[in-house]
Amino acid sequence: MNIDVNAVPTPSYVLDLGILHHNLQILASVRRKTGCKILLAFKGFAMFSLFPVIRKYLQGASASSLDEARLASDEFGGEVHVYMPAYKEEEFSEILSYADHLVFNSFSQLERFKDKVLASPRNISCGIRLNPQYSEVEVELYNPCARYSRLGVTEKEFQPEKLDNIQGLHFHALCGQNADSLTHTLDRVEAQFGEYLHRMVWVNFGGGHHITRKDYDINQLCRLIDRVQDRYGVAVYLEPGEAVALHAGVLVTQVLDIIRNEINIAILDTSAAAHMPDVLEMPYRPEIAGAGLPGQYEHTYRLGGLTCLAGDVVGDYSFPDPLTVGQKLVFQDMAHYTMVKNNTFNGVRLPSIGIYDPERRTTKIIRSFSYEDYKTRLS
Ligand SMILES: Cc1ncc(COP(=O)(O)O)c(C=O)c1O
């Protein structure tokens, strides 16, 4: 990405339109080859100013709350698919006004709400989320099939006698994985639930497919989609979040101070806790343009955030030259699971949001935040 870091205020998330287009073209090629439909999972990326661009390539959106469903209906268009671990009585009729597909997490939720769905003047297709009890996700926090998971119905709890109003099955068991993991997961899904797939209209493979990563095996994904579509006569849906915005955005920050406590420490005008919470939750180490592992270059620093949380540390990085106050640092791959998850902890202001257009070579800030954004979340 060739953005002019001096042209943006810090901190700012800046999205590269060229990379977004590139990712979307890859996703569109999967649709072209297989006829499957691909939805944007808002939980991973919901930059609505870009929905008109994304909508040219993807067929709809996957929402996991009332507000995401409304955003999908108001701003994205196309098909609106909703799944929530549990629906609330007081929200349900509004959700019905937006949803085209509604996935239930349990048969008890289906029983509770099915009459309302049937009474709706809209033609809503219902599904059940499965838990194949198989996943290759190693981090427990992100493993939908970890022991005792609340997400989806296991084979043992499945109630085929209640499938009358169910047209689809949904599973989501991947997280940033390649098609080999999908192969193994799908084998389990078919072994456990294959007989019911024959009765369905659609199957949703969930998200977690790293389709836009360089080493992703797209041909294998297409083979699996074809297999399921041919074998069961169903339409296949994918609902990636991360793959849509993978490597498409950066977070531009600035060094505010450099101190020493046995090691060199730089304090930045961002926060791992507030602006890139997955760095602490996952945890993972974001790349910084021009920086390396500790000791790789001559000058190593611990990079810390602006909040008073002791653990608000992004990690240890080395640089060829000493850092200086005012220097800009650019964190890579910061478009997904950042804007949608950030918060105003400590009153730290949210990063601005910008778009880099490689064709025009322009960087434009499209949203800035203020004291009001902090205050309106409190009372
Ligand atoms: C049900 C469901 N669908 C889709 C996604 C999107 O996953 P990803 O952003 O990893 O593609 C998630 C992520 O947690 C999910 O829980």
PDB file of all heavy atoms in Angstrom, residues 343-352 367-379:
ATOM      1  N   ASN A 343     -13.295   0.186  20.709  1.00  0.00           N
ATOM      2  CA  ASN A 343     -14.059   0.740  21.832  1.00  0.00           C
ATOM      3  C   ASN A 343     -13.354   1.986  22.352  1.00  0.00           C
ATOM      4  O   ASN A 343     -12.234   2.297  21.923  1.00  0.00           O
ATOM      5  CB  ASN A 343     -14.193  -0.320  22.941  1.00  0.00           C
ATOM      6  CG  ASN A 343     -12.833  -0.754  23.444  1.00  0.00           C
ATOM      7  OD1 ASN A 343     -12.173  -0.029  24.157  1.00  0.00           O
ATOM      8  ND2 ASN A 343     -12.390  -1.934  23.028  1.00  0.00           N
ATOM      9  N   THR A 344     -14.034   2.683  23.254  1.00  0.00           N
ATOM     10  CA  THR A 344     -13.469   3.944  23.752  1.00  0.00           C
ATOM     11  C   THR A 344     -12.966   3.806  25.188  1.00  0.00           C
ATOM     12  O   THR A 344     -13.007   4.746  25.966  1.00  0.00           O
ATOM     13  CB  THR A 344     -14.505   5.077  23.663  1.00  0.00           C
ATOM     14  OG1 THR A 344     -15.680   4.662  24.364  1.00  0.00           O
ATOM     15  CG2 THR A 344     -14.863   5.414  22.224  1.00  0.00           C
ATOM     16  N   PHE A 345     -12.508   2.610  25.533  1.00  0.00           N
ATOM     17  CA  PHE A 345     -11.924   2.362  26.859  1.00  0.00           C
ATOM     18  C   PHE A 345     -10.901   3.455  27.195  1.00  0.00           C
ATOM     19  O   PHE A 345     -10.108   3.845  26.343  1.00  0.00           O
ATOM     20  CB  PHE A 345     -11.252   0.983  26.835  1.00  0.00           C
ATOM     21  CG  PHE A 345     -10.460   0.660  28.060  1.00  0.00           C
ATOM     22  CD1 PHE A 345     -11.020   0.751  29.325  1.00  0.00           C
ATOM     23  CD2 PHE A 345      -9.145   0.253  27.954  1.00  0.00           C
ATOM     24  CE1 PHE A 345     -10.278   0.447  30.457  1.00  0.00           C
ATOM     25  CE2 PHE A 345      -8.392  -0.064  29.073  1.00  0.00           C
ATOM     26  CZ  PHE A 345      -8.966   0.041  30.334  1.00  0.00           C
ATOM     27  N   ASN A 346     -10.964   3.911  28.417  1.00  0.00           N
ATOM     28  CA  ASN A 346     -10.033   4.966  28.872  1.00  0.00           C
ATOM     29  C   ASN A 346     -10.331   6.314  28.227  1.00  0.00           C
ATOM     30  O   ASN A 346      -9.536   7.247  28.359  1.00  0.00           O
ATOM     31  CB  ASN A 346      -8.578   4.603  28.544  1.00  0.00           C
ATOM     32  CG  ASN A 346      -7.775   4.219  29.786  1.00  0.00           C
ATOM     33  OD1 ASN A 346      -6.610   4.545  29.924  1.00  0.00           O
ATOM     34  ND2 ASN A 346      -8.412   3.557  30.700  1.00  0.00           N
ATOM     35  N   GLY A 347     -11.419   6.385  27.452  1.00  0.00           N
ATOM     36  CA  GLY A 347     -11.680   7.624  26.724  1.00  0.00           C
ATOM     37  C   GLY A 347     -10.730   7.852  25.571  1.00  0.00           C
ATOM     38  O   GLY A 347     -10.678   8.950  25.012  1.00  0.00           O
ATOM     39  N   VAL A 348      -9.999   6.803  25.208  1.00  0.00           N
ATOM     40  CA  VAL A 348      -9.101   6.944  24.052  1.00  0.00           C
ATOM     41  C   VAL A 348      -9.965   7.109  22.804  1.00  0.00           C
ATOM     42  O   VAL A 348     -10.891   6.341  22.580  1.00  0.00           O
ATOM     43  CB  VAL A 348      -8.202   5.691  23.906  1.00  0.00           C
ATOM     44  CG1 VAL A 348      -7.398   5.747  22.620  1.00  0.00           C
ATOM     45  CG2 VAL A 348      -7.266   5.584  25.091  1.00  0.00           C
ATOM     46  N   ARG A 349      -9.673   8.086  22.019  1.00  0.00           N
ATOM     47  CA  ARG A 349     -10.520   8.370  20.858  1.00  0.00           C
ATOM     48  C   ARG A 349     -10.370   7.301  19.777  1.00  0.00           C
ATOM     49  O   ARG A 349      -9.280   6.766  19.570  1.00  0.00           O
ATOM     50  CB  ARG A 349     -10.166   9.742  20.285  1.00  0.00           C
ATOM     51  CG  ARG A 349     -11.261  10.280  19.398  1.00  0.00           C
ATOM     52  CD  ARG A 349     -11.124  11.753  19.157  1.00  0.00           C
ATOM     53  NE  ARG A 349     -11.519  12.548  20.310  1.00  0.00           N
ATOM     54  CZ  ARG A 349     -11.497  13.873  20.333  1.00  0.00           C
ATOM     55  NH1 ARG A 349     -11.101  14.546  19.273  1.00  0.00           N
ATOM     56  NH2 ARG A 349     -11.875  14.526  21.410  1.00  0.00           N
ATOM     57  N   LEU A 350     -11.468   7.012  19.099  1.00  0.00           N
ATOM     58  CA  LEU A 350     -11.435   6.007  18.033  1.00  0.00           C
ATOM     59  C   LEU A 350     -10.609   6.515  16.853  1.00  0.00           C
ATOM     60  O   LEU A 350     -10.634   7.717  16.549  1.00  0.00           O
ATOM     61  CB  LEU A 350     -12.863   5.711  17.563  1.00  0.00           C
ATOM     62  CG  LEU A 350     -13.779   5.083  18.613  1.00  0.00           C
ATOM     63  CD1 LEU A 350     -15.217   5.064  18.109  1.00  0.00           C
ATOM     64  CD2 LEU A 350     -13.315   3.676  18.958  1.00  0.00           C
ATOM     65  N   PRO A 351      -9.906   5.606  16.175  1.00  0.00           N
ATOM     66  CA  PRO A 351      -9.145   6.027  14.991  1.00  0.00           C
ATOM     67  C   PRO A 351     -10.070   6.557  13.898  1.00  0.00           C
ATOM     68  O   PRO A 351     -11.200   6.078  13.744  1.00  0.00           O
ATOM     69  CB  PRO A 351      -8.461   4.735  14.519  1.00  0.00           C
ATOM     70  CG  PRO A 351      -8.443   3.841  15.710  1.00  0.00           C
ATOM     71  CD  PRO A 351      -9.681   4.182  16.491  1.00  0.00           C
ATOM     72  N   SER A 352      -9.588   7.517  13.147  1.00  0.00           N
ATOM     73  CA  SER A 352     -10.319   7.962  11.955  1.00  0.00           C
ATOM     74  C   SER A 352     -10.333   6.823  10.940  1.00  0.00           C
ATOM     75  O   SER A 352      -9.564   5.867  11.050  1.00  0.00           O
ATOM     76  CB  SER A 352      -9.622   9.161  11.314  1.00  0.00           C
ATOM     77  OG  SER A 352      -9.472  10.180  12.264  1.00  0.00           O
ATOM     78  N   ARG A 367     -14.194   9.523   7.885  1.00  0.00           N
ATOM     79  CA  ARG A 367     -14.887   9.573   9.177  1.00  0.00           C
ATOM     80  C   ARG A 367     -13.867   9.893  10.254  1.00  0.00           C
ATOM     81  O   ARG A 367     -12.799   9.274  10.323  1.00  0.00           O
ATOM     82  CB  ARG A 367     -15.523   8.199   9.441  1.00  0.00           C
ATOM     83  CG  ARG A 367     -16.277   8.093  10.743  1.00  0.00           C
ATOM     84  CD  ARG A 367     -17.725   8.497  10.567  1.00  0.00           C
ATOM     85  NE  ARG A 367     -18.561   7.906  11.591  1.00  0.00           N
ATOM     86  CZ  ARG A 367     -18.879   8.501  12.738  1.00  0.00           C
ATOM     87  NH1 ARG A 367     -18.440   9.717  13.007  1.00  0.00           N
ATOM     88  NH2 ARG A 367     -19.658   7.887  13.605  1.00  0.00           N
ATOM     89  N   SER A 368     -14.239  10.871  11.089  1.00  0.00           N
ATOM     90  CA  SER A 368     -13.400  11.169  12.259  1.00  0.00           C
ATOM     91  C   SER A 368     -14.304  11.107  13.474  1.00  0.00           C
ATOM     92  O   SER A 368     -15.509  11.328  13.368  1.00  0.00           O
ATOM     93  CB  SER A 368     -12.808  12.567  12.165  1.00  0.00           C
ATOM     94  OG  SER A 368     -12.028  12.657  11.014  1.00  0.00           O
ATOM     95  N   PHE A 369     -13.743  10.850  14.605  1.00  0.00           N
ATOM     96  CA  PHE A 369     -14.543  10.695  15.821  1.00  0.00           C
ATOM     97  C   PHE A 369     -14.207  11.810  16.796  1.00  0.00           C
ATOM     98  O   PHE A 369     -13.173  12.466  16.685  1.00  0.00           O
ATOM     99  CB  PHE A 369     -14.303   9.308  16.421  1.00  0.00           C
ATOM    100  CG  PHE A 369     -14.743   8.214  15.482  1.00  0.00           C
ATOM    101  CD1 PHE A 369     -13.850   7.673  14.555  1.00  0.00           C
ATOM    102  CD2 PHE A 369     -16.045   7.754  15.469  1.00  0.00           C
ATOM    103  CE1 PHE A 369     -14.251   6.690  13.664  1.00  0.00           C
ATOM    104  CE2 PHE A 369     -16.469   6.774  14.584  1.00  0.00           C
ATOM    105  CZ  PHE A 369     -15.566   6.240  13.681  1.00  0.00           C
ATOM    106  N   SER A 370     -15.112  12.000  17.753  1.00  0.00           N
ATOM    107  CA  SER A 370     -14.936  13.141  18.647  1.00  0.00           C
ATOM    108  C   SER A 370     -15.345  12.754  20.069  1.00  0.00           C
ATOM    109  O   SER A 370     -15.761  11.613  20.325  1.00  0.00           O
ATOM    110  CB  SER A 370     -15.818  14.294  18.169  1.00  0.00           C
ATOM    111  OG  SER A 370     -17.173  13.933  18.357  1.00  0.00           O
ATOM    112  N   TYR A 371     -15.280  13.714  20.928  1.00  0.00           N
ATOM    113  CA  TYR A 371     -15.731  13.570  22.310  1.00  0.00           C
ATOM    114  C   TYR A 371     -17.149  13.020  22.377  1.00  0.00           C
ATOM    115  O   TYR A 371     -17.469  12.179  23.229  1.00  0.00           O
ATOM    116  CB  TYR A 371     -15.657  14.952  22.972  1.00  0.00           C
ATOM    117  CG  TYR A 371     -16.353  15.057  24.291  1.00  0.00           C
ATOM    118  CD1 TYR A 371     -15.902  14.343  25.402  1.00  0.00           C
ATOM    119  CD2 TYR A 371     -17.449  15.891  24.443  1.00  0.00           C
ATOM    120  CE1 TYR A 371     -16.546  14.461  26.619  1.00  0.00           C
ATOM    121  CE2 TYR A 371     -18.095  16.011  25.652  1.00  0.00           C
ATOM    122  CZ  TYR A 371     -17.648  15.284  26.738  1.00  0.00           C
ATOM    123  OH  TYR A 371     -18.286  15.394  27.931  1.00  0.00           O
ATOM    124  N   GLU A 372     -17.998  13.442  21.435  1.00  0.00           N
ATOM    125  CA  GLU A 372     -19.405  12.992  21.438  1.00  0.00           C
ATOM    126  C   GLU A 372     -19.513  11.472  21.320  1.00  0.00           C
ATOM    127  O   GLU A 372     -20.409  10.866  21.898  1.00  0.00           O
ATOM    128  CB  GLU A 372     -20.184  13.634  20.271  1.00  0.00           C
ATOM    129  CG  GLU A 372     -20.386  15.130  20.411  1.00  0.00           C
ATOM    130  CD  GLU A 372     -21.030  15.513  21.741  1.00  0.00           C
ATOM    131  OE1 GLU A 372     -21.969  14.816  22.162  1.00  0.00           O
ATOM    132  OE2 GLU A 372     -20.567  16.496  22.351  1.00  0.00           O
ATOM    133  N   ASP A 373     -18.633  10.864  20.542  1.00  0.00           N
ATOM    134  CA  ASP A 373     -18.709   9.414  20.355  1.00  0.00           C
ATOM    135  C   ASP A 373     -18.386   8.670  21.651  1.00  0.00           C
ATOM    136  O   ASP A 373     -18.922   7.605  21.913  1.00  0.00           O
ATOM    137  CB  ASP A 373     -17.741   8.972  19.240  1.00  0.00           C
ATOM    138  CG  ASP A 373     -18.113   9.595  17.922  1.00  0.00           C
ATOM    139  OD1 ASP A 373     -19.170   9.244  17.395  1.00  0.00           O
ATOM    140  OD2 ASP A 373     -17.354  10.471  17.449  1.00  0.00           O
ATOM    141  N   TYR A 374     -17.524   9.252  22.433  1.00  0.00           N
ATOM    142  CA  TYR A 374     -17.232   8.700  23.751  1.00  0.00           C
ATOM    143  C   TYR A 374     -18.416   8.918  24.678  1.00  0.00           C
ATOM    144  O   TYR A 374     -18.942   7.990  25.299  1.00  0.00           O
ATOM    145  CB  TYR A 374     -15.970   9.369  24.305  1.00  0.00           C
ATOM    146  CG  TYR A 374     -15.745   9.170  25.781  1.00  0.00           C
ATOM    147  CD1 TYR A 374     -15.454   7.907  26.288  1.00  0.00           C
ATOM    148  CD2 TYR A 374     -15.814  10.256  26.655  1.00  0.00           C
ATOM    149  CE1 TYR A 374     -15.245   7.737  27.642  1.00  0.00           C
ATOM    150  CE2 TYR A 374     -15.610  10.087  28.003  1.00  0.00           C
ATOM    151  CZ  TYR A 374     -15.330   8.821  28.510  1.00  0.00           C
ATOM    152  OH  TYR A 374     -15.138   8.638  29.839  1.00  0.00           O
ATOM    153  N   LYS A 375     -18.901  10.164  24.694  1.00  0.00           N
ATOM    154  CA  LYS A 375     -19.937  10.528  25.665  1.00  0.00           C
ATOM    155  C   LYS A 375     -21.262   9.824  25.388  1.00  0.00           C
ATOM    156  O   LYS A 375     -21.955   9.400  26.321  1.00  0.00           O
ATOM    157  CB  LYS A 375     -20.145  12.048  25.635  1.00  0.00           C
ATOM    158  CG  LYS A 375     -21.004  12.526  26.783  1.00  0.00           C
ATOM    159  CD  LYS A 375     -21.240  14.014  26.760  1.00  0.00           C
ATOM    160  CE  LYS A 375     -22.285  14.371  27.792  1.00  0.00           C
ATOM    161  NZ  LYS A 375     -22.851  15.685  27.561  1.00  0.00           N
ATOM    162  N   THR A 376     -21.613   9.658  24.118  1.00  0.00           N
ATOM    163  CA  THR A 376     -22.934   9.087  23.810  1.00  0.00           C
ATOM    164  C   THR A 376     -23.010   7.591  24.112  1.00  0.00           C
ATOM    165  O   THR A 376     -24.099   7.014  24.073  1.00  0.00           O
ATOM    166  CB  THR A 376     -23.323   9.307  22.332  1.00  0.00           C
ATOM    167  OG1 THR A 376     -22.259   8.859  21.514  1.00  0.00           O
ATOM    168  CG2 THR A 376     -23.626  10.765  22.041  1.00  0.00           C
ATOM    169  N   ARG A 377     -21.906   6.978  24.438  1.00  0.00           N
ATOM    170  CA  ARG A 377     -21.959   5.579  24.859  1.00  0.00           C
ATOM    171  C   ARG A 377     -22.182   5.447  26.358  1.00  0.00           C
ATOM    172  O   ARG A 377     -22.292   4.345  26.886  1.00  0.00           O
ATOM    173  CB  ARG A 377     -20.658   4.871  24.477  1.00  0.00           C
ATOM    174  CG  ARG A 377     -20.410   4.846  22.974  1.00  0.00           C
ATOM    175  CD  ARG A 377     -19.132   4.144  22.624  1.00  0.00           C
ATOM    176  NE  ARG A 377     -19.206   2.726  22.939  1.00  0.00           N
ATOM    177  CZ  ARG A 377     -18.492   2.105  23.862  1.00  0.00           C
ATOM    178  NH1 ARG A 377     -17.608   2.777  24.569  1.00  0.00           N
ATOM    179  NH2 ARG A 377     -18.632   0.817  24.064  1.00  0.00           N
ATOM    180  N   LEU A 378     -22.187   6.591  27.038  1.00  0.00           N
ATOM    181  CA  LEU A 378     -22.349   6.581  28.496  1.00  0.00           C
ATOM    182  C   LEU A 378     -23.572   7.440  28.860  1.00  0.00           C
ATOM    183  O   LEU A 378     -24.193   8.048  28.007  1.00  0.00           O
ATOM    184  CB  LEU A 378     -21.079   7.175  29.156  1.00  0.00           C
ATOM    185  CG  LEU A 378     -19.777   6.460  28.788  1.00  0.00           C
ATOM    186  CD1 LEU A 378     -18.584   7.275  29.222  1.00  0.00           C
ATOM    187  CD2 LEU A 378     -19.736   5.066  29.426  1.00  0.00           C
ATOM    188  N   SER A 379     -23.917   7.454  30.121  1.00  0.00           N
ATOM    189  CA  SER A 379     -25.017   8.333  30.509  1.00  0.00           C
ATOM    190  C   SER A 379     -24.810   8.826  31.931  1.00  0.00           C
ATOM    191  O   SER A 379     -24.037   8.253  32.661  1.00  0.00           O
ATOM    192  CB  SER A 379     -26.344   7.591  30.400  1.00  0.00           C
ATOM    193  OG  SER A 379     -26.398   6.627  31.431  1.00  0.00           O
TER     194      SER A 379
END
